[in-house]
Amino acid sequence: MLQVLQAEFADVTISKIRFLEAEGLVTPARTAAGYRKFSASDVERLRYVLTAQRDQYLPLKVIKEHLGAMDRGLRPTPGGPPAAPQAAEPAGLPVAEDFGADRTELKLTREELRAAAGIDEALLEQLESHQLIVARGNHYDGDAILVAKAAAQFGQYGVEPRHLRPFRAAADREVGLIEQVTGPRRTERTQELAALAVRLHAALVRSRLPR
Amino acid sequence: MLQVLQAEFADVTISKIRFLEAEGLVTPARTAAGYRKFSASDVERLRYVLTAQRDQYLPLKVIKEHLGAMDRGLRPTPGGPPAAPQAAEPAGLPVAEDFGADRTELKLTREELRAAAGIDEALLEQLESHQLIVARGNHYDGDAILVAKAAAQFGQYGVEPRHLRPFRAAADREVGLIEQVTGPRRTERTQELAALAVRLHAALVRSRLPR
DNA sequence: TCAACCCTCGACCAGCGGTTGAGGCCGCCA
DNA sequence: TGGCGGCCTCAACCGCTGGTCGAGGGTTGA
């Protein structure tokens, strides 16, 4: 139960979560026996907390205010307190490895995608030409933002989209494997297997890193 | 002398300034007798420190880095961190799924590994034969546990180690890419890139999952 | 000369963000 | 059916950050 969370973000410990709960930052449901039960949105919330802490050095007190504001229908902003509701600016939202999230259901225009990921047209074109990002109809989903952001960060290290093609190939193979097991429709098992695949991948990469 | 500063920011005390000096955030000149003498730029600096602290909750360590970067000629941003020479990602830069964790430093015997992951000898042998797990000397590290657990879970879906070989190949390719960028030694950047690779991978897998 | 202000240096402190450990319940597997 | 791992709570403890305080002493100016 906790394993899943641990695999997804490695520096979360059980005591940290308990602490965060005690501070009122998450409130997981409980089983009849009193065990914590984390919903997809709890995980989303935790990811928001952890990334805000790490990337923006925000104290928990402030993060808590942000979450509270978000709960009351405001939008999170990349840096600074939550702002009033605005058009579509999903940037800064928790970047979740949460396979049940409804981020998939976002529908972004090309412009919105670029704005959200902070990338320029040239990069987006390259990403599409290598099929790292693919439009559905003429919209993009939330995963496209994540891909674009990651690609942009790779760019800062001099890694270009064409170098990233093996990632696409690997993802395709994994998805193929998953579909062989669970069939061509997206079910809960599909999502479980996807999470599993990502965990395996992460562990393998880490295990092969130079010492 | 200090009065001037006090008038400008209410909550600056003399001891706070002494503390900030001790931390290397300001270095006012001294009079012959050893008294601090604040130049206009010292005051400016202090203003930056105090506002960054108050408005952005930045820890002094980070503020100090920003000041250092500004000293080295980077653009001083009004109410924000100095921008890197070229367009950098706003916030959310490095990530770490804890690629620096000391899990790597575990040394497990074969038995310990099997016990920790809850797998049997046969499975472990298969994993080794496909090089999903590799011993170092005759010990295994903590990542091996994660790999083994994930493989065991795949097993429950009928996915066997040999089906997982593409994962190994993908991980190897990614590590190869990372090493090309950061060299063959493990540094902080290696770990950042590894985390980045895993995130990209996760986003790609998700984006390709059936709807 | 003396009050008012500055200096240094070491001790001390409060709050934050957790970790640890004791003592106990849950659930599964042998 | 009992043993064992994993989760639970609650209280104590911990290390780090960001300072404050006080003793002991020099400087300045009326």
Side-chain angles (χ1 to χ4, degrees):
Chain A
M1 197 147 249
L2 172 79
Q3 314 283 30
V4 183
L5 272 165
Q6 297 241 3
E8 251 180 280
F9 348 44
D11 75 334
V12 68
T13 61
I14 194 166
S15 77
K16 195 159 173 172
I17 288 180
R18 297 207 262 249
F19 177 74
L20 294 176
E21 184 181 4
E23 298 293 298
L25 288 158
V26 268
T27 40
R30 298 305 185 105
T31 68
Y35 286 25
R36 288 172 183 81
K37 208 172 49 179
F38 296 91
S39 71
S41 83
D42 291 326
V43 174
E44 186 102 359
R45 232 176 143 80
L46 273 173
R47 182 172 284 271
Y48 181 83
V49 171
L50 297 173
T51 57
Q53 225 186 355
R54 187 190 55 214
D55 297 343
Q56 301 184 57
Y57 309 96
L58 295 184
L60 293 185
K61 197 179 10 173
V62 171
I63 295 175
K64 185 177 175 182
E65 280 164 23
H66 288 193
L67 284 172
M70 282 157 66
D71 289 344
R72 276 179 273 99
L74 306 180
R75 300 201 141 266
T77 53
Q86 278 197 343
E89 233 265 288
L93 251 178
V95 173
E97 245 131 78
D98 172 355
F99 285 78
D102 53 9
R103 182 169 3 132
T104 343
E105 279 139 40
L106 272 179
K107 282 197 156 195
L108 303 169
T109 66
R110 197 176 178 80
E111 296 318 311
E112 287 167 343
L113 168 59
R114 292 211 291 106
I119 65 169
D120 61 22
E121 181 59 30
L123 179 54
L124 178 50
E125 272 168 24
Q126 286 183 73
L127 291 172
E128 291 194 283
S129 81
H130 294 298
Q131 299 181 61
L132 288 156
I133 289 180
V134 181
R136 297 175 177 273
N138 40 19
H139 289 282
Y140 300 84
D141 64 20
D143 294 322
I145 302 178
L146 303 185
V147 173
K149 280 189 173 173
Q153 290 184 41
F154 267 119
Q156 291 176 24
Y157 288 97
V159 177
E160 294 169 26
R162 63 194 168 87
H163 301 126
L164 301 179
R165 281 175 44 186
F167 283 80
R168 199 215 74 207
D172 281 341
R173 270 193 299 274
E174 289 178 23
V175 171
L177 174 63
I178 291 169
E179 287 187 18
Q180 275 190 9
V181 174
T182 66
R185 297 208 358 93
R186 187 193 193 114
T187 68
E188 203 160 312
R189 303 178 61 138
T190 317
Q191 289 168 19
E192 272 175 38
L193 273 162
L196 188 50
V198 168
R199 270 186 282 149
L200 174 59
H201 178 86
L204 281 171
V205 167
R206 193 170 37 224
S207 74
R208 284 174 151 66
L209 243 30
R211 265 27 210 169
Chain B
M1 202 148 247
L2 171 78
Q3 318 287 29
V4 187
L5 273 165
Q6 297 238 358
E8 237 182 300
F9 314 82
D11 74 335
V12 68
T13 61
I14 195 165
S15 78
K16 195 161 176 172
I17 288 180
R18 296 208 262 250
F19 177 73
L20 293 176
E21 184 182 5
E23 296 295 299
L25 287 156
V26 269
T27 39
R30 301 302 185 109
T31 66
Y35 285 25
R36 288 175 185 79
K37 209 171 50 177
F38 295 92
S39 73
S41 85
D42 290 329
V43 174
E44 185 92 1
R45 234 176 143 79
L46 276 171
R47 189 200 317 280
Y48 181 85
V49 171
L50 297 172
T51 58
Q53 221 184 3
R54 189 190 54 207
D55 299 344
Q56 299 186 66
Y57 311 96
L58 295 184
L60 294 185
K61 194 176 18 167
V62 172
I63 295 175
K64 185 176 175 183
E65 278 165 25
H66 288 186
L67 285 171
M70 283 156 64
D71 290 344
R72 275 178 273 104
L74 302 179
R75 179 171 63 121
T77 47
Q86 224 343 51
E89 167 97 350
L93 245 171
V95 155
E97 304 236 332
D98 204 357
F99 278 78
D102 52 11
R103 198 182 2 267
T104 343
E105 279 141 40
L106 273 178
K107 283 197 154 193
L108 304 168
T109 66
R110 195 176 180 81
E111 297 317 310
E112 287 166 342
L113 168 59
R114 293 210 293 106
I119 65 170
D120 59 23
E121 181 60 29
L123 179 53
L124 179 50
E125 272 169 24
Q126 285 182 73
L127 291 173
E128 291 194 283
S129 81
H130 295 298
Q131 299 181 59
L132 288 155
I133 289 180
V134 181
R136 299 177 175 273
N138 40 16
H139 290 283
Y140 300 85
D141 63 20
D143 293 322
I145 301 179
L146 299 182
V147 171
K149 280 188 174 173
Q153 289 183 48
F154 268 118
Q156 291 175 21
Y157 289 96
V159 177
E160 293 168 27
R162 64 193 167 88
H163 300 125
L164 300 178
R165 281 176 42 189
F167 284 80
R168 197 215 75 208
D172 281 341
R173 271 193 298 274
E174 290 177 25
V175 170
L177 175 63
I178 292 168
E179 287 188 16
Q180 274 190 8
V181 174
T182 65
R185 294 204 1 91
R186 186 196 196 111
T187 68
E188 203 161 311
R189 313 196 96 192
T190 316
Q191 289 167 19
E192 272 176 36
L193 272 162
L196 188 49
V198 168
R199 272 192 295 152
L200 175 60
H201 178 87
L204 281 170
V205 167
R206 193 171 39 225
S207 74
R208 285 172 153 68
L209 242 30
R211 264 30 208 167

